[in-house]
PDB file of all heavy atoms in Angstrom:
ATOM      1  N   ASN A   1      92.457  91.467 101.748  1.00 96.00           N
ATOM      2  CA  ASN A   1      92.768  91.515 100.315  1.00 96.00           C
ATOM      3  C   ASN A   1      93.713  92.653  99.936  1.00 96.00           C
ATOM      4  O   ASN A   1      93.810  93.016  98.772  1.00 96.00           O
ATOM      5  CB  ASN A   1      91.462  91.647  99.516  1.00 96.00           C
ATOM      6  CG  ASN A   1      90.596  90.413  99.658  1.00 96.00           C
ATOM      7  OD1 ASN A   1      91.025  89.308  99.373  1.00 96.00           O
ATOM      8  ND2 ASN A   1      89.369  90.600 100.125  1.00 96.00           N
ATOM      9  N   ARG A   2      94.395  93.214 100.929  1.00 96.00           N
ATOM     10  CA  ARG A   2      95.328  94.301 100.648  1.00 96.00           C
ATOM     11  C   ARG A   2      96.762  93.772 100.630  1.00 96.00           C
ATOM     12  O   ARG A   2      97.135  92.963 101.472  1.00 96.00           O
ATOM     13  CB  ARG A   2      95.173  95.394 101.708  1.00 96.00           C
ATOM     14  CG  ARG A   2      95.919  96.670 101.365  1.00 96.00           C
ATOM     15  CD  ARG A   2      95.595  97.770 102.366  1.00 96.00           C
ATOM     16  NE  ARG A   2      96.093  97.419 103.697  1.00 96.00           N
ATOM     17  CZ  ARG A   2      95.471  97.695 104.831  1.00 96.00           C
ATOM     18  NH1 ARG A   2      94.295  98.288 104.814  1.00 96.00           N
ATOM     19  NH2 ARG A   2      95.994  97.357 105.977  1.00 96.00           N
ATOM     20  N   LEU A   3      97.549  94.261  99.697  1.00 96.00           N
ATOM     21  CA  LEU A   3      98.955  93.849  99.621  1.00 96.00           C
ATOM     22  C   LEU A   3      99.750  94.458 100.768  1.00 96.00           C
ATOM     23  O   LEU A   3      99.464  95.568 101.217  1.00 96.00           O
ATOM     24  CB  LEU A   3      99.578  94.331  98.299  1.00 96.00           C
ATOM     25  CG  LEU A   3      99.018  93.776  96.985  1.00 96.00           C
ATOM     26  CD1 LEU A   3      99.738  94.424  95.818  1.00 96.00           C
ATOM     27  CD2 LEU A   3      99.140  92.266  96.910  1.00 96.00           C
ATOM     28  N   SER A   4     100.754  93.716 101.219  1.00 94.00           N
ATOM     29  CA  SER A   4     101.659  94.267 102.227  1.00 94.00           C
ATOM     30  C   SER A   4     102.665  95.181 101.519  1.00 94.00           C
ATOM     31  O   SER A   4     102.754  95.186 100.295  1.00 94.00           O
ATOM     32  CB  SER A   4     102.410  93.132 102.932  1.00 94.00           C
ATOM     33  OG  SER A   4     103.269  92.486 102.003  1.00 94.00           O
ATOM     34  N   ARG A   5     103.411  95.945 102.294  1.00 92.00           N
ATOM     35  CA  ARG A   5     104.410  96.846 101.682  1.00 92.00           C
ATOM     36  C   ARG A   5     105.423  96.068 100.857  1.00 92.00           C
ATOM     37  O   ARG A   5     105.847  96.504  99.790  1.00 92.00           O
ATOM     38  CB  ARG A   5     105.144  97.633 102.773  1.00 92.00           C
ATOM     39  CG  ARG A   5     104.362  98.824 103.263  1.00 92.00           C
ATOM     40  CD  ARG A   5     105.194  99.670 104.199  1.00 92.00           C
ATOM     41  NE  ARG A   5     104.437 100.797 104.712  1.00 92.00           N
ATOM     42  CZ  ARG A   5     104.898 101.666 105.583  1.00 92.00           C
ATOM     43  NH1 ARG A   5     106.130 101.535 106.043  1.00 92.00           N
ATOM     44  NH2 ARG A   5     104.160 102.670 105.999  1.00 92.00           N
ATOM     45  N   GLU A   6     105.830  94.907 101.391  1.00 94.00           N
ATOM     46  CA  GLU A   6     106.812  94.073 100.683  1.00 94.00           C
ATOM     47  C   GLU A   6     106.244  93.616  99.335  1.00 94.00           C
ATOM     48  O   GLU A   6     106.945  93.603  98.326  1.00 94.00           O
ATOM     49  CB  GLU A   6     107.187  92.841 101.524  1.00 94.00           C
ATOM     50  CG  GLU A   6     107.981  93.148 102.784  1.00 94.00           C
ATOM     51  CD  GLU A   6     107.119  93.705 103.920  1.00 94.00           C
ATOM     52  OE1 GLU A   6     105.875  93.552 103.851  1.00 94.00           O
ATOM     53  OE2 GLU A   6     107.676  94.303 104.848  1.00 94.00           O
ATOM     54  N   GLU A   7     104.952  93.237  99.336  1.00 95.00           N
ATOM     55  CA  GLU A   7     104.326  92.777  98.085  1.00 95.00           C
ATOM     56  C   GLU A   7     104.171  93.923  97.091  1.00 95.00           C
ATOM     57  O   GLU A   7     104.332  93.739  95.882  1.00 95.00           O
ATOM     58  CB  GLU A   7     102.955  92.164  98.386  1.00 95.00           C
ATOM     59  CG  GLU A   7     103.046  90.818  99.103  1.00 95.00           C
ATOM     60  CD  GLU A   7     101.694  90.323  99.594  1.00 95.00           C
ATOM     61  OE1 GLU A   7     100.881  91.149 100.078  1.00 95.00           O
ATOM     62  OE2 GLU A   7     101.437  89.111  99.483  1.00 95.00           O
ATOM     63  N   MET A   8     103.873  95.117  97.605  1.00 95.00           N
ATOM     64  CA  MET A   8     103.720  96.280  96.717  1.00 95.00           C
ATOM     65  C   MET A   8     105.003  96.578  95.957  1.00 95.00           C
ATOM     66  O   MET A   8     104.962  97.008  94.795  1.00 95.00           O
ATOM     67  CB  MET A   8     103.326  97.522  97.534  1.00 95.00           C
ATOM     68  CG  MET A   8     101.872  97.546  97.970  1.00 95.00           C
ATOM     69  SD  MET A   8     101.497  99.098  98.833  1.00 95.00           S
ATOM     70  CE  MET A   8      99.974  98.647  99.667  1.00 95.00           C
ATOM     71  N   GLU A   9     106.130  96.353  96.612  1.00 92.00           N
ATOM     72  CA  GLU A   9     107.417  96.658  95.983  1.00 92.00           C
ATOM     73  C   GLU A   9     107.664  95.808  94.733  1.00 92.00           C
ATOM     74  O   GLU A   9     108.462  96.172  93.876  1.00 92.00           O
ATOM     75  CB  GLU A   9     108.558  96.444  96.989  1.00 92.00           C
ATOM     76  CG  GLU A   9     108.596  97.524  98.069  1.00 92.00           C
ATOM     77  CD  GLU A   9     109.590  97.207  99.180  1.00 92.00           C
ATOM     78  OE1 GLU A   9     110.317  96.194  99.052  1.00 92.00           O
ATOM     79  OE2 GLU A   9     109.649  97.967 100.167  1.00 92.00           O
ATOM     80  N   LYS A  10     106.959  94.698  94.616  1.00 93.00           N
ATOM     81  CA  LYS A  10     107.125  93.814  93.456  1.00 93.00           C
ATOM     82  C   LYS A  10     106.380  94.333  92.228  1.00 93.00           C
ATOM     83  O   LYS A  10     106.585  93.862  91.116  1.00 93.00           O
ATOM     84  CB  LYS A  10     106.643  92.403  93.796  1.00 93.00           C
ATOM     85  CG  LYS A  10     107.447  91.726  94.902  1.00 93.00           C
ATOM     86  CD  LYS A  10     106.816  90.405  95.287  1.00 93.00           C
ATOM     87  CE  LYS A  10     107.520  89.781  96.498  1.00 93.00           C
ATOM     88  NZ  LYS A  10     106.850  88.560  96.950  1.00 93.00           N
ATOM     89  N   TYR A  11     105.470  95.279  92.429  1.00 94.00           N
ATOM     90  CA  TYR A  11     104.673  95.814  91.321  1.00 94.00           C
ATOM     91  C   TYR A  11     105.240  97.148  90.844  1.00 94.00           C
ATOM     92  O   TYR A  11     105.515  98.047  91.640  1.00 94.00           O
ATOM     93  CB  TYR A  11     103.219  96.026  91.759  1.00 94.00           C
ATOM     94  CG  TYR A  11     102.441  94.746  91.958  1.00 94.00           C
ATOM     95  CD1 TYR A  11     102.544  94.035  93.159  1.00 94.00           C
ATOM     96  CD2 TYR A  11     101.590  94.242  90.964  1.00 94.00           C
ATOM     97  CE1 TYR A  11     101.825  92.860  93.358  1.00 94.00           C
ATOM     98  CE2 TYR A  11     100.869  93.079  91.153  1.00 94.00           C
ATOM     99  CZ  TYR A  11     100.987  92.390  92.354  1.00 94.00           C
ATOM    100  OH  TYR A  11     100.274  91.231  92.539  1.00 94.00           O
ATOM    101  N   SER A  12     105.368  97.287  89.526  1.00 94.00           N
ATOM    102  CA  SER A  12     105.921  98.524  88.968  1.00 94.00           C
ATOM    103  C   SER A  12     105.006  99.723  89.211  1.00 94.00           C
ATOM    104  O   SER A  12     105.475 100.859  89.288  1.00 94.00           O
ATOM    105  CB  SER A  12     106.155  98.357  87.457  1.00 94.00           C
ATOM    106  OG  SER A  12     104.930  98.021  86.816  1.00 94.00           O
ATOM    107  N   VAL A  13     103.683  99.477  89.356  1.00 94.00           N
ATOM    108  CA  VAL A  13     102.747 100.597  89.562  1.00 94.00           C
ATOM    109  C   VAL A  13     102.978 101.312  90.899  1.00 94.00           C
ATOM    110  O   VAL A  13     102.562 102.452  91.074  1.00 94.00           O
ATOM    111  CB  VAL A  13     101.265 100.126  89.486  1.00 94.00           C
ATOM    112  CG1 VAL A  13     100.873  99.819  88.060  1.00 94.00           C
ATOM    113  CG2 VAL A  13     101.001  98.958  90.411  1.00 94.00           C
ATOM    114  N   PHE A  14     103.640 100.626  91.832  1.00 95.00           N
ATOM    115  CA  PHE A  14     103.903 101.247  93.133  1.00 95.00           C
ATOM    116  C   PHE A  14     105.319 101.839  93.216  1.00 95.00           C
ATOM    117  O   PHE A  14     105.716 102.357  94.249  1.00 95.00           O
ATOM    118  CB  PHE A  14     103.708 100.237  94.267  1.00 95.00           C
ATOM    119  CG  PHE A  14     102.274  99.833  94.468  1.00 95.00           C
ATOM    120  CD1 PHE A  14     101.811  98.614  94.014  1.00 95.00           C
ATOM    121  CD2 PHE A  14     101.373 100.685  95.108  1.00 95.00           C
ATOM    122  CE1 PHE A  14     100.486  98.237  94.184  1.00 95.00           C
ATOM    123  CE2 PHE A  14     100.052 100.323  95.287  1.00 95.00           C
ATOM    124  CZ  PHE A  14      99.599  99.098  94.819  1.00 95.00           C
ATOM    125  N   LYS A  15     106.051 101.759  92.099  1.00 92.00           N
ATOM    126  CA  LYS A  15     107.406 102.306  92.087  1.00 92.00           C
ATOM    127  C   LYS A  15     107.313 103.828  92.188  1.00 92.00           C
ATOM    128  O   LYS A  15     106.511 104.470  91.511  1.00 92.00           O
ATOM    129  CB  LYS A  15     108.111 101.909  90.772  1.00 92.00           C
ATOM    130  CG  LYS A  15     109.607 102.178  90.801  1.00 92.00           C
ATOM    131  CD  LYS A  15     110.254 101.713  89.509  1.00 92.00           C
ATOM    132  CE  LYS A  15     111.743 102.010  89.549  1.00 92.00           C
ATOM    133  NZ  LYS A  15     112.409 101.608  88.288  1.00 92.00           N
ATOM    134  N   ASN A  16     108.123 104.410  93.054  1.00 92.00           N
ATOM    135  CA  ASN A  16     108.120 105.865  93.297  1.00 92.00           C
ATOM    136  C   ASN A  16     106.744 106.367  93.750  1.00 92.00           C
ATOM    137  O   ASN A  16     106.344 107.491  93.430  1.00 92.00           O
ATOM    138  CB  ASN A  16     108.552 106.632  92.036  1.00 92.00           C
ATOM    139  CG  ASN A  16     109.926 106.185  91.551  1.00 92.00           C
ATOM    140  OD1 ASN A  16     110.821 105.909  92.342  1.00 92.00           O
ATOM    141  ND2 ASN A  16     110.095 106.106  90.237  1.00 92.00           N
ATOM    142  N   TYR A  17     106.036 105.531  94.467  1.00 94.00           N
ATOM    143  CA  TYR A  17     104.693 105.926  94.936  1.00 94.00           C
ATOM    144  C   TYR A  17     104.760 107.096  95.915  1.00 94.00           C
ATOM    145  O   TYR A  17     105.567 107.118  96.829  1.00 94.00           O
ATOM    146  CB  TYR A  17     104.012 104.740  95.625  1.00 94.00           C
ATOM    147  CG  TYR A  17     102.711 105.109  96.333  1.00 94.00           C
ATOM    148  CD1 TYR A  17     101.526 105.227  95.609  1.00 94.00           C
ATOM    149  CD2 TYR A  17     102.692 105.358  97.702  1.00 94.00           C
ATOM    150  CE1 TYR A  17     100.342 105.587  96.246  1.00 94.00           C
ATOM    151  CE2 TYR A  17     101.514 105.713  98.344  1.00 94.00           C
ATOM    152  CZ  TYR A  17     100.341 105.834  97.608  1.00 94.00           C
ATOM    153  OH  TYR A  17      99.174 106.189  98.239  1.00 94.00           O
ATOM    154  N   GLU A  18     103.919 108.088  95.673  1.00 94.00           N
ATOM    155  CA  GLU A  18     103.799 109.235  96.585  1.00 94.00           C
ATOM    156  C   GLU A  18     102.312 109.460  96.840  1.00 94.00           C
ATOM    157  O   GLU A  18     101.527 109.538  95.887  1.00 94.00           O
ATOM    158  CB  GLU A  18     104.397 110.497  95.942  1.00 94.00           C
ATOM    159  CG  GLU A  18     105.916 110.509  95.871  1.00 94.00           C
ATOM    160  CD  GLU A  18     106.582 110.660  97.229  1.00 94.00           C
ATOM    161  OE1 GLU A  18     105.928 111.175  98.149  1.00 94.00           O
ATOM    162  OE2 GLU A  18     107.751 110.247  97.372  1.00 94.00           O
ATOM    163  N   PRO A  19     101.889 109.558  98.112  1.00 95.00           N
ATOM    164  CA  PRO A  19     100.460 109.755  98.377  1.00 95.00           C
ATOM    165  C   PRO A  19      99.928 111.103  97.928  1.00 95.00           C
ATOM    166  O   PRO A  19      98.747 111.255  97.623  1.00 95.00           O
ATOM    167  CB  PRO A  19     100.360 109.612  99.901  1.00 95.00           C
ATOM    168  CG  PRO A  19     101.728 109.893 100.413  1.00 95.00           C
ATOM    169  CD  PRO A  19     102.676 109.441  99.343  1.00 95.00           C
ATOM    170  N   GLY A  20     100.811 112.125  97.844  1.00 94.00           N
ATOM    171  CA  GLY A  20     100.385 113.452  97.435  1.00 94.00           C
ATOM    172  C   GLY A  20      99.942 114.309  98.611  1.00 94.00           C
ATOM    173  O   GLY A  20     100.027 113.892  99.766  1.00 94.00           O
ATOM    174  N   ASP A  21      99.474 115.503  98.304  1.00 94.00           N
ATOM    175  CA  ASP A  21      99.047 116.443  99.353  1.00 94.00           C
ATOM    176  C   ASP A  21      97.619 116.130  99.787  1.00 94.00           C
ATOM    177  O   ASP A  21      96.716 116.024  98.938  1.00 94.00           O
ATOM    178  CB  ASP A  21      99.118 117.885  98.840  1.00 94.00           C
ATOM    179  CG  ASP A  21     100.550 118.281  98.486  1.00 94.00           C
ATOM    180  OD1 ASP A  21     101.471 117.837  99.209  1.00 94.00           O
ATOM    181  OD2 ASP A  21     100.745 119.003  97.489  1.00 94.00           O
ATOM    182  N   PRO A  22      97.389 115.984 101.098  1.00 95.00           N
ATOM    183  CA  PRO A  22      96.053 115.626 101.596  1.00 95.00           C
ATOM    184  C   PRO A  22      94.963 116.613 101.185  1.00 95.00           C
ATOM    185  O   PRO A  22      95.145 117.825 101.268  1.00 95.00           O
ATOM    186  CB  PRO A  22      96.235 115.635 103.124  1.00 95.00           C
ATOM    187  CG  PRO A  22      97.693 115.412 103.335  1.00 95.00           C
ATOM    188  CD  PRO A  22      98.366 116.101 102.190  1.00 95.00           C
ATOM    189  N   ASN A  23      93.870 116.090 100.681  1.00 95.00           N
ATOM    190  CA  ASN A  23      92.654 116.864 100.414  1.00 95.00           C
ATOM    191  C   ASN A  23      91.491 115.887 100.386  1.00 95.00           C
ATOM    192  O   ASN A  23      91.680 114.690 100.636  1.00 95.00           O
ATOM    193  CB  ASN A  23      92.778 117.681  99.116  1.00 95.00           C
ATOM    194  CG  ASN A  23      92.898 116.797  97.883  1.00 95.00           C
ATOM    195  OD1 ASN A  23      91.901 116.325  97.352  1.00 95.00           O
ATOM    196  ND2 ASN A  23      94.135 116.557  97.427  1.00 95.00           N
ATOM    197  N   CYS A  24      90.305 116.362 100.099  1.00 96.00           N
ATOM    198  CA  CYS A  24      89.135 115.484 100.215  1.00 96.00           C
ATOM    199  C   CYS A  24      88.841 114.672  98.958  1.00 96.00           C
ATOM    200  O   CYS A  24      87.845 113.937  98.893  1.00 96.00           O
ATOM    201  CB  CYS A  24      87.901 116.290 100.624  1.00 96.00           C
ATOM    202  SG  CYS A  24      87.436 117.526  99.406  1.00 96.00           S
ATOM    203  N   ARG A  25      89.701 114.778  97.955  1.00 96.00           N
ATOM    204  CA  ARG A  25      89.520 113.960  96.736  1.00 96.00           C
ATOM    205  C   ARG A  25      90.680 112.986  96.586  1.00 96.00           C
ATOM    206  O   ARG A  25      91.829 113.338  96.822  1.00 96.00           O
ATOM    207  CB  ARG A  25      89.458 114.861  95.491  1.00 96.00           C
ATOM    208  CG  ARG A  25      88.079 115.429  95.232  1.00 96.00           C
ATOM    209  CD  ARG A  25      88.131 116.477  94.134  1.00 96.00           C
ATOM    210  NE  ARG A  25      88.405 115.900  92.819  1.00 96.00           N
ATOM    211  CZ  ARG A  25      87.494 115.290  92.074  1.00 96.00           C
ATOM    212  NH1 ARG A  25      86.271 115.122  92.517  1.00 96.00           N
ATOM    213  NH2 ARG A  25      87.800 114.815  90.883  1.00 96.00           N
ATOM    214  N   ILE A  26      90.340 111.769  96.195  1.00 97.00           N
ATOM    215  CA  ILE A  26      91.402 110.780  95.963  1.00 97.00           C
ATOM    216  C   ILE A  26      91.378 110.319  94.508  1.00 97.00           C
ATOM    217  O   ILE A  26      90.351 110.358  93.835  1.00 97.00           O
ATOM    218  CB  ILE A  26      91.294 109.559  96.914  1.00 97.00           C
ATOM    219  CG1 ILE A  26      89.925 108.896  96.821  1.00 97.00           C
ATOM    220  CG2 ILE A  26      91.626 109.947  98.333  1.00 97.00           C
ATOM    221  CD1 ILE A  26      89.813 107.628  97.645  1.00 97.00           C
ATOM    222  N   TYR A  27      92.546 109.916  94.066  1.00 97.00           N
ATOM    223  CA  TYR A  27      92.744 109.465  92.692  1.00 97.00           C
ATOM    224  C   TYR A  27      93.126 107.985  92.752  1.00 97.00           C
ATOM    225  O   TYR A  27      94.012 107.590  93.499  1.00 97.00           O
ATOM    226  CB  TYR A  27      93.860 110.302  92.055  1.00 97.00           C
ATOM    227  CG  TYR A  27      94.452 109.744  90.782  1.00 97.00           C
ATOM    228  CD1 TYR A  27      93.671 109.588  89.644  1.00 97.00           C
ATOM    229  CD2 TYR A  27      95.799 109.391  90.716  1.00 97.00           C
ATOM    230  CE1 TYR A  27      94.217 109.089  88.463  1.00 97.00           C
ATOM    231  CE2 TYR A  27      96.361 108.898  89.554  1.00 97.00           C
ATOM    232  CZ  TYR A  27      95.553 108.751  88.421  1.00 97.00           C
ATOM    233  OH  TYR A  27      96.095 108.255  87.275  1.00 97.00           O
ATOM    234  N   VAL A  28      92.422 107.167  91.981  1.00 97.00           N
ATOM    235  CA  VAL A  28      92.665 105.719  91.981  1.00 97.00           C
ATOM    236  C   VAL A  28      93.057 105.285  90.572  1.00 97.00           C
ATOM    237  O   VAL A  28      92.386 105.649  89.594  1.00 97.00           O
ATOM    238  CB  VAL A  28      91.404 104.938  92.425  1.00 97.00           C
ATOM    239  CG1 VAL A  28      91.708 103.446  92.546  1.00 97.00           C
ATOM    240  CG2 VAL A  28      90.887 105.467  93.755  1.00 97.00           C
ATOM    241  N   LYS A  29      94.134 104.532  90.469  1.00 96.00           N
ATOM    242  CA  LYS A  29      94.540 104.016  89.154  1.00 96.00           C
ATOM    243  C   LYS A  29      94.854 102.520  89.237  1.00 96.00           C
ATOM    244  O   LYS A  29      94.774 101.918  90.295  1.00 96.00           O
ATOM    245  CB  LYS A  29      95.735 104.800  88.617  1.00 96.00           C
ATOM    246  CG  LYS A  29      97.026 104.635  89.407  1.00 96.00           C
ATOM    247  CD  LYS A  29      98.136 105.451  88.758  1.00 96.00           C
ATOM    248  CE  LYS A  29      99.454 105.274  89.525  1.00 96.00           C
ATOM    249  NZ  LYS A  29     100.554 106.020  88.935  1.00 96.00           N
ATOM    250  N   ASN A  30      95.192 101.951  88.071  1.00 97.00           N
ATOM    251  CA  ASN A  30      95.457 100.513  87.931  1.00 97.00           C
ATOM    252  C   ASN A  30      94.196  99.682  88.204  1.00 97.00           C
ATOM    253  O   ASN A  30      94.247  98.600  88.778  1.00 97.00           O
ATOM    254  CB  ASN A  30      96.591 100.062  88.861  1.00 97.00           C
ATOM    255  CG  ASN A  30      97.202  98.725  88.419  1.00 97.00           C
ATOM    256  OD1 ASN A  30      97.458  98.524  87.233  1.00 97.00           O
ATOM    257  ND2 ASN A  30      97.398  97.811  89.353  1.00 97.00           N
ATOM    258  N   LEU A  31      93.059 100.214  87.782  1.00 97.00           N
ATOM    259  CA  LEU A  31      91.797  99.490  87.965  1.00 97.00           C
ATOM    260  C   LEU A  31      91.591  98.503  86.821  1.00 97.00           C
ATOM    261  O   LEU A  31      91.887  98.795  85.662  1.00 97.00           O
ATOM    262  CB  LEU A  31      90.624 100.474  88.003  1.00 97.00           C
ATOM    263  CG  LEU A  31      90.580 101.419  89.211  1.00 97.00           C
ATOM    264  CD1 LEU A  31      89.516 102.486  89.001  1.00 97.00           C
ATOM    265  CD2 LEU A  31      90.308 100.643  90.496  1.00 97.00           C
ATOM    266  N   ALA A  32      91.063  97.339  87.146  1.00 95.00           N
ATOM    267  CA  ALA A  32      90.769  96.322  86.140  1.00 95.00           C
ATOM    268  C   ALA A  32      89.616  96.795  85.254  1.00 95.00           C
ATOM    269  O   ALA A  32      88.779  97.607  85.670  1.00 95.00           O
ATOM    270  CB  ALA A  32      90.404  95.009  86.824  1.00 95.00           C
ATOM    271  N   LYS A  33      89.558  96.273  84.031  1.00 93.00           N
ATOM    272  CA  LYS A  33      88.523  96.745  83.086  1.00 93.00           C
ATOM    273  C   LYS A  33      87.109  96.362  83.534  1.00 93.00           C
ATOM    274  O   LYS A  33      86.134  96.985  83.137  1.00 93.00           O
ATOM    275  CB  LYS A  33      88.806  96.190  81.683  1.00 93.00           C
ATOM    276  CG  LYS A  33      88.820  94.671  81.586  1.00 93.00           C
ATOM    277  CD  LYS A  33      89.164  94.226  80.177  1.00 93.00           C
ATOM    278  CE  LYS A  33      89.217  92.701  80.074  1.00 93.00           C
ATOM    279  NZ  LYS A  33      89.578  92.252  78.707  1.00 93.00           N
ATOM    280  N   GLN A  34      87.002  95.332  84.416  1.00 95.00           N
ATOM    281  CA  GLN A  34      85.670  94.917  84.893  1.00 95.00           C
ATOM    282  C   GLN A  34      85.107  95.851  85.965  1.00 95.00           C
ATOM    283  O   GLN A  34      83.932  95.784  86.296  1.00 95.00           O
ATOM    284  CB  GLN A  34      85.720  93.505  85.512  1.00 95.00           C
ATOM    285  CG  GLN A  34      86.292  92.444  84.605  1.00 95.00           C
ATOM    286  CD  GLN A  34      87.743  92.148  84.968  1.00 95.00           C
ATOM    287  OE1 GLN A  34      88.567  93.057  84.974  1.00 95.00           O
ATOM    288  NE2 GLN A  34      88.057  90.891  85.255  1.00 95.00           N
TER     289      GLN A  34
END
């Protein structure tokens, strides 16, 4: 159920995506209201 890199490029939320500096906390966005 994971998008491929090619599919991600079609979504604006992945535009200029940067993973950030590694640490033990992660940030998740674009979550559905359910």
Side-chain angles (χ1 to χ4, degrees):
N1 294 304
R2 190 173 65 217
L3 296 178
S4 66
R5 279 187 182 177
E6 292 77 17
E7 289 171 321
M8 284 184 197
E9 288 172 5
K10 297 174 186 175
Y11 289 83
S12 58
V13 287
F14 291 103
K15 192 178 179 182
N16 303 322
Y17 171 81
E18 287 290 337
D21 297 323
N23 65 83
C24 63
R25 276 171 70 79
I26 55 175
Y27 164 63
V28 185
K29 66 179 181 179
N30 199 44
L31 293 170
K33 60 182 179 181
Q34 305 101 303

